[in-house]
Amino acid sequence: MTNSNTPLFKSASRIAMISISVALAAAPLAACGRKAAVTETEAQRARAVRVVKVEARAITGALSATGVLQPREEAAVLPEVTGYRVAKVLVDEGQYVRAGQTLVQLDGALISAQVDQQRALAAQAAVQAEQAEAQASRVSGLDGQGVLSQEALEQRRFQARAARATANAQAAALKDAQTRAGKLNVSAPVSGLVLERNVRPGDLSAGGSAWYRIAQGGEIELRAELSEEDIARVRPGQRVTVVLPTGSSAQGTVRLVSPQVNSQTKLGVVRVRLPVRSDIRAGGFGRALFEDAAGQSLAVPETAIRYDADGASVMVVGSDNRVKRVVVKTGARGGGLVALTQGPAPGAVVIQNAAAFLLDGDLVRPVFGDAGKPASVK
């Protein structure tokens, strides 16, 4: 048996006491560790999710409309003289022409003979007028002298005036014939693109349908019809992207917004100026996307809308940071936003990413961020 007073016994006693002290000191630390672990687990249950508020926003690019491609200004070409045969057709459709350029030449044989005949008649009338005026001048001053009766004197003077009037009429007829002769070349009234040709060599010039249709300057624009509500969001000078049937697009601007709407259809007309391009053809269709049409309405990012068998919905975060599904009805879209025509009240907080797997009652930790920029945790 070991003596308690021996050095070995004393050393063992000290070691045992130290071990008990260390164990007693470590017990509270272990308890604190267990509490920290429990607190961390509860915090992890609240997922950090990006959220935005339901508020009035400008829906950009949401407005679109289809329309017909038409010439901005269209000029019709018809012959100014009738009854003459077409000798040559010099321009075909699809060509660009300048103002005053000859498009069609008429056969001038008939009008040339008419001009010659009228020139002879005018010359004959001029001679007769000179003769009558000379006879009238010879009896000047003989009034009341008894050489000739007063009736004879007046008759010579009247004949002179009548002859001069006839000469003037024949001269006017000659000028008319010469003017018609100058119209044998049918020319373009404006510069532009020939859209249509309806004349052939051998045709007889006559009134009726136009021989040519010309788009002035070659400018083709889109004529779109919008509802009374939508047309209020359009203004002259506004940028527009027009998508063509080929899939290509053209950048244009609003040239004209109709000051009235049709009383029957309640539609108004908007004309969009387009660049001069060979693939923009009159008579075709185009779809106009009004890039900066702005209308203030309650909106959320498109990513916030969830679609399922029950329709569209958003996940609203309550004051207790718990999630609740709310059914919505959507309206205009554009610029990554979608308008809500029915849904949460303004100021409600919704989950920005509807793809996040969340259920009613889930606890979340909302993090606010701009819908158009990466969210930053505050």
Side-chain angles (χ1 to χ4, degrees):
M1 183 173 180
T2 306
N3 190 344
S4 59
N5 293 323
T6 62
L8 180 62
F9 181 81
K10 290 179 179 180
S11 297
S13 298
R14 289 194 192 97
I15 293 172
M17 291 177 66
I18 292 171
S19 299
I20 294 170
S21 299
V22 170
L24 292 174
L29 296 177
C32 292
R34 284 195 300 272
K35 289 182 180 179
V38 170
T39 303
E40 184 179 359
T41 302
E42 290 177 349
Q44 288 176 345
R45 292 177 186 173
R47 294 178 53 186
V49 293
R50 196 173 299 173
V51 296
V52 294
K53 287 186 177 181
V54 178
E55 56 188 1
R57 299 171 183 261
I59 305 297
T60 302
L63 182 59
S64 65
T66 57
V68 181
L69 297 172
Q70 296 180 340
R72 175 179 176 178
E73 294 290 345
E74 183 178 314
V77 181
L78 293 91
E80 297 185 60
V81 292
T82 59
Y84 299 98
R85 199 68 66 178
V86 174
K88 293 181 180 179
V89 177
L90 304 177
V91 174
D92 208 344
E93 57 189 32
Q95 294 182 242
Y96 280 86
V97 296
R98 65 182 183 279
Q101 179 178 340
T102 300
L103 308 179
V104 176
Q105 289 181 345
L106 300 177
D107 187 356
L110 181 59
I111 191 66
S112 178
Q114 292 174 347
V115 170
D116 292 341
Q117 180 183 13
Q118 193 58 51
R119 183 178 289 111
L121 292 173
Q124 181 183 14
V127 170
Q128 291 174 348
E130 290 175 3
Q131 182 182 12
E133 288 171 347
Q135 291 176 354
S137 65
R138 281 196 292 269
V139 297
S140 178
L142 297 179
D143 296 85
Q145 296 184 9
V147 177
L148 289 173
S149 65
Q150 191 64 33
E151 182 179 357
L153 293 175
E154 294 296 336
Q155 184 177 6
R156 286 195 181 188
R157 291 166 184 164
F158 286 142
Q159 286 175 346
R161 289 198 294 268
R164 177 52 61 188
T166 301
N168 291 339
Q170 293 295 348
L174 173 61
K175 186 176 180 180
D176 176 69
Q178 291 173 332
T179 301
R180 287 188 288 115
K183 299 295 184 180
L184 293 177
N185 290 338
V186 181
S187 58
V190 296
S191 300
L193 173 66
V194 177
L195 300 176
E196 186 178 351
R197 166 195 151 187
N198 294 309
V199 60
R200 302 165 298 176
D203 286 350
L204 194 65
S205 63
S209 61
W211 278 1
Y212 285 96
R213 290 174 50 239
I214 300 176
Q216 184 172 355
E219 295 183 62
I220 306 298
E221 63 182 16
L222 182 74
R223 181 185 185 276
E225 292 186 331
L226 284 79
S227 68
E228 187 175 4
E229 177 184 356
D230 288 340
I231 202 171
R233 299 168 57 190
V234 180
R235 63 187 183 278
Q238 187 172 325
R239 296 190 308 274
V240 182
T241 299
V242 175
V243 181
L244 304 174
T246 58
S248 62
S249 62
Q251 298 300 314
T253 56
V254 175
R255 181 180 68 85
L256 182 147
V257 179
S258 175
Q260 63 178 355
V261 295
N262 187 289
S263 60
Q264 301 296 325
T265 63
K266 300 302 179 183
L267 298 176
V269 175
V270 173
R271 292 185 176 271
V272 179
R273 180 187 292 111
L274 297 174
V276 177
R277 285 179 13 186
S278 59
D279 60 337
I280 301 178
R281 298 180 174 86
F285 285 87
R287 182 167 179 263
L289 305 175
F290 297 84
E291 295 182 356
D292 56 345
Q296 293 287 334
S297 57
L298 291 179
V300 294
E302 287 185 318
T303 56
I305 306 297
R306 174 182 291 186
Y307 298 94
D308 51 31
D310 297 328
S313 62
V314 293
M315 303 302 288
V316 178
V317 180
S319 57
D320 57 354
N321 287 348
R322 295 195 178 274
V323 175
K324 180 181 179 181
R325 179 179 178 274
V326 177
V327 176
V328 298
K329 290 185 178 180
T330 60
R333 298 171 181 268
L337 299 173
V338 56
L340 299 182
T341 59
Q342 179 180 322
V349 177
V350 300
I351 305 295
Q352 182 175 334
N353 185 7
F357 185 73
L358 293 170
L359 301 175
D360 279 358
D362 283 356
L363 183 67
V364 296
R365 179 163 53 89
V367 178
F368 284 91
D370 192 335
K373 299 178 182 179
S376 56
V377 178
K378 297 182 180 179

